């Protein structure tokens, strides 16, 4: 949660993130990541691809980042859905 940007912390407070993580522990057991889409510009960065979980299941993933106080912070993410 420390890597979340201020807008993402507002959208998903620590307690909500913790509850979601506890409800979906398999999503945090990642064996491999593959990113097929990457972009960086003045407004931020985006990554999209596939996570292979330890169970062998492949799920789509996407992450968007923003520079906040000279550090890259997570602006948004989707795991298991294409959004």
């Amino acid at each position: 949660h420390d890597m979340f940007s201020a807008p993402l912390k507002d959208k998903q407070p620590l307690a909500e993130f913790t509850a979601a993580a506890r409800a979906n522990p398999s999503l945090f057991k990642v064996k491999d990541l593959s990113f097929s889409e990457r972009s960086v510009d003045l407004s931020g960065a985006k990554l999209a691809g596939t996570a292979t979980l330890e169970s062998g299941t492949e799920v789509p993933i996407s992450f968007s980042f923003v520079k906040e106080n000279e550090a890259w912070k997570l602006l948004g993410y989707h795991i298991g859905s294409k959004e």
Side-chain angles (χ1 to χ4, degrees), residues 6-28:
L8 185 54
K9 285 180 180 179
D10 288 343
K11 183 178 177 182
Q12 190 177 36
L14 180 58
E16 187 178 316
F17 174 73
T18 301
R22 284 188 180 140
N24 299 287
S26 65
L27 295 179
F28 293 87

Side-chain angles (χ1 to χ4, degrees), residues 11 18 28 30-31 33 35 37 43 53-56 71-72:
K11 183 178 177 182
T18 301
F28 293 87
V30 177
K31 183 168 57 173
L33 294 171
F35 294 103
E37 298 175 38
S43 66
L53 306 179
E54 287 181 357
S55 66
W72 286 103

Side-chain angles (χ1 to χ4, degrees), residues 7-75:
L8 185 54
K9 285 180 180 179
D10 288 343
K11 183 178 177 182
Q12 190 177 36
L14 180 58
E16 187 178 316
F17 174 73
T18 301
R22 284 188 180 140
N24 299 287
S26 65
L27 295 179
F28 293 87
K29 296 178 181 177
V30 177
K31 183 168 57 173
D32 189 39
L33 294 171
S34 173
F35 294 103
S36 56
E37 298 175 38
R38 299 172 186 91
S39 66
V40 178
D41 60 30
L42 295 176
S43 66
K46 294 182 181 183
L47 293 170
T50 303
T52 303
L53 306 179
E54 287 181 357
S55 66
T57 302
E58 291 186 353
V59 295
I61 55 174
S62 64
F63 304 95
S64 57
F65 301 89
V66 65
K67 269 267 178 115
E68 200 174 83
N69 298 320
E70 300 302 315
W72 286 103
K73 297 287 185 164
L74 192 61
L75 182 61

